[in-house]
Amino acid sequence: MPDTQMRPLGAQISHMLKDRGVDTIFGIPGVHNQEMYRGIEEAGITHVLARHEQGAGFMADGYARATGKPGVAYVITGPGLCNIMTPMGQAYSDSVPMLVLSSCLDETAARRGQLHQMKDQRAAADTVCDWSEEARTAGAAYGLIDRALTEFATGRARPKHIQVPIAVLEEPAPAAPKAVAQGAKPAEALPDGVLARLASARRPLLVLGGGARGATDALRALMARCAVPAFTTYAGRGIVAADDPMLLGSALARPESAEVFARSDLVIAVGTELAEVDLWRAHPGHLGEMIRVDIDTESLTDGAGNTHAIEMTAENFLAALASSEDLPARFDWTAGEIAKARAGFRAGVEAEYQQIPAICDALKACLPEDTMIYSDMTQFAYAATEIWDMDRPGHWHHPYGFGTLGYATPAAIGGAVARRGKPTMAIIGDYGFHYTMAELGVAVELGLSLPIFLWDNAKLGAIEASMVGAQIAPNAVVARNPDFCRLAEAFGARAVAPQTIEEMQTAVRDAFSADGPTLIHVTPAVLG
């Protein structure tokens, strides 16, 4: 039966979200958005109370990455919206479906000095998300929410912001209409010329980005029939089987990868922006043709050297390629050539990051199957994302692009909320931990078995190295750290400071079965 009960619009929005499959909302209530909280419990939605709106946004991001469903956050007018803009910018950069719902003032042109007043709140949010709109009626709110959810499901997932005036949230409103079922996208035929170009190539090369994660089965079927070497971006790790002899790894940022591109005669890049943070150079290095496959036309018209642009989902493209009867089986690349290139990439990481790769190997060896990792802007993660092969996609999440410090702890909390009973962990640096350490209280409150691997080199190590490389005397790269273990214990978390690799591994294993979060404080001295 249709719901004919009139409720304040703020309450109806929660009921609508529940009807659309939303089961968790992250946020902080305030006097301006309290009407949005009226219907949360009645609708049967779990609310996670963050300690800061930035934390709420990162939790929604982590939840979305873990589930593939939109992460939803409720925030207040003004400072609440401003505080969540950093997570919105990160979600925009990494194509994460996040829906931010905020209150806003009823009018701002004729009055000044109102609580939480901004000159143009909607426009401010618009700078860090796909779109930001104001709903001035119940019908507009319902329509915008459905528009956002539909776009998450059918296009490139990026955050959206909807604000509703306080008076409109308070007004009685009918229930939202029932959701309209969305039909599946039909399969698409392979564009003309793709197979012919692949058949004529002697040294083709694949580049797979995060946009190809949903095409893992098709990609692996393709590589089983057609031994094409493949790079992945950091976000694309796990798409190619970790033991595939043609896997070049996530080494695009290594300068030597340009030499591999130069030896290819056809590059097929699928679901990747080939952005600065993928390559750290202006051009991949190929001299031949490049076929670019993406659902985002902006990526098809950039300056990466595309010669053939195909607007198509990665799933449809790779499935069509893998099922073709005319697929070539052999090329001039050899497994030995790929292994030699990979060894060179690893050597470069070891030279740059010294003991970190060895600790990465030890950490990887002690993790349970299906562990999902959220990492931060820290040298430990920079090294790990280059050398740590994943056995499945979408299980390592990092703040690429926007590059926000403090991401890992709250994002991992969001992931752990979504993955109750499954292993989830955070990897964060000492400085990044300062940004969002208060969210540790949320993990304690929820009883999350969450290992937080804190890499403490007592400085902004990457910035120091950059300054030295630029011949700048290192300045402002060292801050006084607290006793992290005692700090964690003050929140009610467990804490341990292992002194050896073996102690570190034991601490990590124990943390996955603890009855709350565990801070694992690791320093470079762990290797002696």
Side-chain angles (χ1 to χ4, degrees), residues 78-310:
L81 191 278
C82 287
N83 286 341
I84 205 170
M85 283 173 61
T86 295
M88 290 167 68
Q90 189 61 63
Y92 183 88
S93 179
D94 288 353
S95 301
V96 176
M98 181 194 297
L99 178 59
V100 175
L101 292 159
S102 78
S103 54
C104 66
L105 295 173
D106 300 325
E107 69 82 26
T108 58
R111 296 181 62 192
R112 290 288 182 265
Q114 300 179 77
L115 179 65
H116 302 331
Q117 186 166 17
M118 293 176 65
K119 292 176 66 177
D120 195 335
Q121 176 179 292
R122 186 212 60 79
D126 199 42
T127 63
V128 288
C129 64
D130 191 24
W131 49 257
S132 172
E133 299 291 354
E134 181 173 333
R136 298 174 185 171
T137 64
Y142 300 151
L144 286 169
I145 290 170
D146 272 339
R147 173 187 166 191
L149 298 179
T150 299
E151 290 178 7
F152 289 146
T154 58
R156 183 172 184 177
R158 277 179 157 163
K160 331 283 185 183
H161 167 242
I162 300 169
Q163 64 181 32
V164 186
I166 298 166
V168 177
L169 287 171
E170 295 170 345
E171 290 175 0
K178 289 296 180 182
V180 177
Q182 296 175 2
K185 287 186 177 181
E188 302 172 69
L190 202 63
D192 293 339
V194 173
L195 278 171
R197 289 185 176 88
L198 186 59
S200 64
R202 302 309 310 159
R203 298 175 71 85
L205 180 64
L206 287 171
V207 183
L208 303 158
R213 285 195 299 258
T216 300
D217 290 344
L219 183 278
R220 294 188 181 189
L222 169 65
M223 293 187 68
R225 294 186 55 205
C226 182
V228 184
F231 280 110
T232 68
T233 66
Y234 302 136
R237 285 181 302 151
I239 297 173
V240 183
D243 60 355
D244 193 305
M246 290 291 106
L247 175 61
L248 283 158
S250 51
L252 289 170
R254 291 287 114 194
E256 298 82 4
S257 70
E259 300 170 9
V260 179
F261 277 91
R263 295 201 299 273
S264 71
D265 54 6
L266 174 67
V267 176
I268 303 177
V270 184
T272 171
E273 289 182 315
L274 291 177
E276 178 186 67
V277 293
D278 294 319
L279 300 169
W280 292 110
R281 56 182 181 271
H283 189 273
H286 59 287
L287 304 175
E289 294 184 305
M290 176 186 280
I291 296 174
R292 194 77 175 275
V293 183
D294 212 291
I295 61 172
D296 186 346
T297 55
E298 185 176 351
S299 294
L300 299 175
T301 56
D302 64 11
N306 314 332
T307 50
H308 305 283
I310 298 173

Side-chain angles (χ1 to χ4, degrees), residues 3 6 58 61 71 74 128 132 158 194 197-198 217 219 232 248 251 259 370-371 392-393 439 452 479 508 511 513:
D3 184 354
M6 295 288 286
F58 286 145
D61 174 295
Y74 282 179
V128 288
S132 172
R158 277 179 157 163
V194 173
R197 289 185 176 88
L198 186 59
D217 290 344
L219 183 278
T232 68
L248 283 158
E259 300 170 9
D370 195 32
T371 298
R392 65 198 71 191
E439 305 305 340
I452 301 173
V508 171
S513 57

Side-chain angles (χ1 to χ4, degrees), residues 226-440:
C226 182
V228 184
F231 280 110
T232 68
T233 66
Y234 302 136
R237 285 181 302 151
I239 297 173
V240 183
D243 60 355
D244 193 305
M246 290 291 106
L247 175 61
L248 283 158
S250 51
L252 289 170
R254 291 287 114 194
E256 298 82 4
S257 70
E259 300 170 9
V260 179
F261 277 91
R263 295 201 299 273
S264 71
D265 54 6
L266 174 67
V267 176
I268 303 177
V270 184
T272 171
E273 289 182 315
L274 291 177
E276 178 186 67
V277 293
D278 294 319
L279 300 169
W280 292 110
R281 56 182 181 271
H283 189 273
H286 59 287
L287 304 175
E289 294 184 305
M290 176 186 280
I291 296 174
R292 194 77 175 275
V293 183
D294 212 291
I295 61 172
D296 186 346
T297 55
E298 185 176 351
S299 294
L300 299 175
T301 56
D302 64 11
N306 314 332
T307 50
H308 305 283
I310 298 173
E311 186 178 358
M312 192 172 182
T313 67
E315 295 92 324
N316 284 341
F317 177 82
L318 291 171
L321 203 57
S323 62
S324 172
E325 297 180 357
D326 300 322
L327 197 64
R330 293 187 176 275
F331 299 101
D332 291 349
W333 298 101
T334 67
E337 187 177 4
I338 303 305
K340 182 179 179 181
R342 291 208 61 172
F345 300 149
R346 167 85 187 207
V349 175
E350 290 174 340
E352 184 174 351
Y353 293 106
Q354 301 174 18
Q355 75 270 53
I356 291 178
I359 302 176
C360 287
D361 293 342
L363 179 59
K364 180 181 179 181
C366 72
L367 297 186
E369 185 179 2
D370 195 32
T371 298
M372 184 170 287
I373 299 171
Y374 293 83
S375 61
D376 213 81
M377 300 296 286
T378 172
Q379 285 182 310
F380 192 95
Y382 304 155
T385 49
E386 291 198 55
I387 63 171
W388 189 317
D389 294 326
M390 303 295 291
D391 61 359
R392 65 198 71 191
H395 273 60
W396 188 302
H397 306 292
H398 184 79
Y400 307 107
F402 209 48
T404 56
L405 278 162
Y407 168 82
T409 301
I413 290 170
V417 167
R419 289 167 49 83
R420 288 279 191 173
K422 296 181 180 179
T424 304
M425 76 175 300
I427 295 175
I428 193 164
D430 56 307
Y431 207 85
F433 188 69
H434 280 268
Y435 275 54
T436 52
M437 65 173 70
E439 305 305 340
L440 187 58

Side-chain angles (χ1 to χ4, degrees), residues 54-73:
Q54 186 176 86
F58 286 145
M59 289 176 201
D61 174 295
Y63 175 94
R65 297 193 201 214
T67 62
K69 301 192 311 183
V72 180

Side-chain angles (χ1 to χ4, degrees), residues 21-40:
V22 174
D23 55 26
T24 305
I25 291 172
F26 304 88
I28 301 176
V31 293
H32 278 187
N33 71 343
Q34 63 188 17
E35 286 296 336
M36 295 162 65
Y37 281 76
R38 185 186 294 275
I40 291 179

